[in-house]
Amino acid sequence: MSVIELTDVVKRYQSGEETVVALKGIDFHADRGEMVLVTGPSGSGKSTMLNMIGLLDTPTEGTVRLDDREVTDFDEDELTEERRSSLGFVFQDFHLLPMLTAVENVELPSMWDRSVQRTDRAITLLRTVGLGDRLDHTPAQLSGGQQQRVAIARALINEPDILLADEPTGNLDQETGRTILEEMTRLKEEENIAIVAVTHDEQMEAYADRIVRLVDGVIQS
Ligand code: ADP
Ligand code: ADP
């Protein structure tokens, strides 16, 4: 069963008099244990589609199902809760808080949940991504690749079903990018999550289970 499914999704933006149709009837799904890449030229609708999958924006038409629950009609509180419990986000520029250590950055999204041993889990995750000896370092004391590993650990702290990655290797050199991709490939199997990534990085294609190419708001292949 697909963990995320978009059916007939249309997204229109109104800017002044002009209507922009960013997505023109998208069918998309991702399953646990697979990495799906979303590629396409600038302006083709990649960010818009990632925003739909990330429950950051709602479609004008069509449905979004997450783990077989229709989320299209959720209100803002329900969407926030769903984002927190089901989704992890990784960004091109890491989005770490500079004054916090690696462990503190990783535990941050789990602060609301008093029932879990969040520091223990943060440390376990940092060990998993090879940073067991960098727990108390701040982002400035870490390389770009190490910072992205912290960000990946943070994205996994609430045990998401889906990891959404926006250009995860965009700020890294080729070799560092490759180690991050290897890490993500291992984690998608170990954690049994779906990874959906928007990328321009061609080396990422070798790690993908499927590649979805968007052109002008339509999935071309
Ligand atoms: P990509 O990520 O592939 O570059 P986007 O999803 O950002 O593409 O944009 C797709 C189209 O929708 C573009 O024409 C863009 O200008 C338009 N668009 C995106 N977001 C908005 C918005 N908030 N308001 C108006 N138009 C938008
Ligand atoms: P990137 O590709 O770096 O993610 P984008 O150009 O896709 O950047 O868009 C960045 C932000 O600006 C997104 O939140 C998108 O919704 C918004 N945006 C994009 N195009 C437009 C537009 N034409 N009008 C208003 N907002 C837009």
Side-chain angles (χ1 to χ4, degrees), residues 51-72:
N51 286 347
M52 302 287 145
I53 299 172
L55 310 183
L56 296 164
D57 202 354
T58 50
T60 314
E61 291 171 26
T63 58
V64 177
R65 298 180 78 82
L66 211 137
D67 229 358
D68 224 26
R69 273 160 305 153
E70 170 140 9
V71 294
T72 323

Side-chain angles (χ1 to χ4, degrees), residues 31-43:
D31 301 336
R32 287 180 189 279
E34 75 172 347
M35 181 165 0
V36 184
L37 292 194
V38 181
T39 67
S42 182

